[in-house]
Amino acid sequence: MAQTYRGDENITGRELGPAGMPEMTAHDLLDDDHNRVLQQFNDYENVKSTASTAEKHRIAREICRELKIHAVIEEEIYYPRVIEKADIDDHVEAAKADHDRVAEMIKDIEGASTEDEHFDELIAALDLEVREHISEERNNLFDTAEVMGINTAEMARRLYNRKQELMREVH
């Protein structure tokens, strides 16, 4: 798999290029998103028993925001290109179904109070769903996309630009 820039949110100063080089590809960008949200879940888990309700709410809000933006860039840009280039509609449809389940879980979290005794369970369930989705995506889509030439710097640019637009829109 391509080199991943974990946690590096500022890629504007870096030239984007092919996998295996110090430049970012589409999978690098998507993996950055995956790693960032997994770290947020870990942060939540580490502080859930001692954090204030405000801190728990802040982390949960960040997780939900990250997941919403990530789903949009995948569904608008990445998945259509994968379908266009490869005959793996079933894997893409499964990924979209995962996104739908995650969206419903996010609605539940956003509608719940951090003081609710089940709030931590809602976050834990979302964490599990997202981890399973990431694993399936990496194992079923990334390898095929790599072979089909989809994991490019140009795709990374498109994903990154759309992500920046969404970050300005989604608060």
Side-chain angles (χ1 to χ4, degrees):
M1 182 173 302
Q3 180 179 356
T4 300
Y5 293 91
R6 286 168 175 74
D8 183 1
E9 294 183 28
N10 181 10
I11 66 169
T12 57
R14 176 172 56 225
E15 180 61 30
L16 301 177
M21 300 185 73
E23 293 86 9
M24 183 170 273
T25 65
H27 294 162
D28 293 333
L29 185 139
L30 295 174
D31 264 338
D32 274 359
D33 284 359
H34 294 156
N35 293 328
R36 189 171 15 269
V37 79
L38 293 176
Q39 183 58 55
Q40 290 167 331
F41 280 122
N42 290 340
D43 291 347
Y44 187 90
E45 182 64 28
N46 290 334
V47 302
K48 72 180 182 185
S49 61
T50 59
S52 67
T53 56
E55 179 65 7
K56 288 170 71 170
H57 179 74
R58 183 192 64 76
I59 297 171
R61 191 176 63 243
E62 287 176 7
I63 290 168
C64 293
R65 179 178 183 254
E66 188 75 32
L67 290 171
K68 287 178 188 178
I69 291 171
H70 182 78
V72 170
I73 66 172
E74 284 186 333
E75 291 181 17
E76 287 183 0
I77 299 169
Y78 184 76
Y79 293 164
R81 184 73 173 141
V82 170
I83 290 172
E84 177 185 309
K85 295 286 266 183
D87 185 24
I88 57 169
D89 292 5
D90 54 334
H91 291 302
V92 172
E93 290 306 315
K96 287 181 181 179
D98 290 346
H99 284 186
D100 291 343
R101 280 190 302 280
V102 166
E104 286 302 314
M105 296 171 94
I106 287 171
K107 285 181 189 174
D108 292 343
I109 289 167
E110 290 176 335
S113 167
T114 53
E115 295 173 355
D116 184 324
E117 63 185 60
H118 299 291
F119 191 81
D120 293 342
E121 293 170 16
L122 293 172
I123 297 292
L126 179 62
D127 183 2
L128 180 62
E129 183 70 30
V130 168
R131 288 177 191 275
E132 289 174 3
H133 171 75
I134 290 170
S135 177
E136 290 174 16
E137 193 168 75
R138 286 176 173 163
N139 293 328
N140 296 324
L141 291 178
F142 281 18
D143 290 343
T144 301
E146 189 79 38
V147 170
M148 300 308 293
I150 296 165
N151 186 29
T152 65
E154 179 55 34
M155 175 66 75
R157 281 186 199 93
R158 292 179 61 210
L159 293 166
Y160 177 78
N161 290 338
R162 181 63 175 130
K163 182 176 178 177
Q164 294 307 303
E165 290 172 8
L166 292 166
M167 289 174 73
R168 289 187 293 273
E169 295 172 12
V170 179
H171 302 287

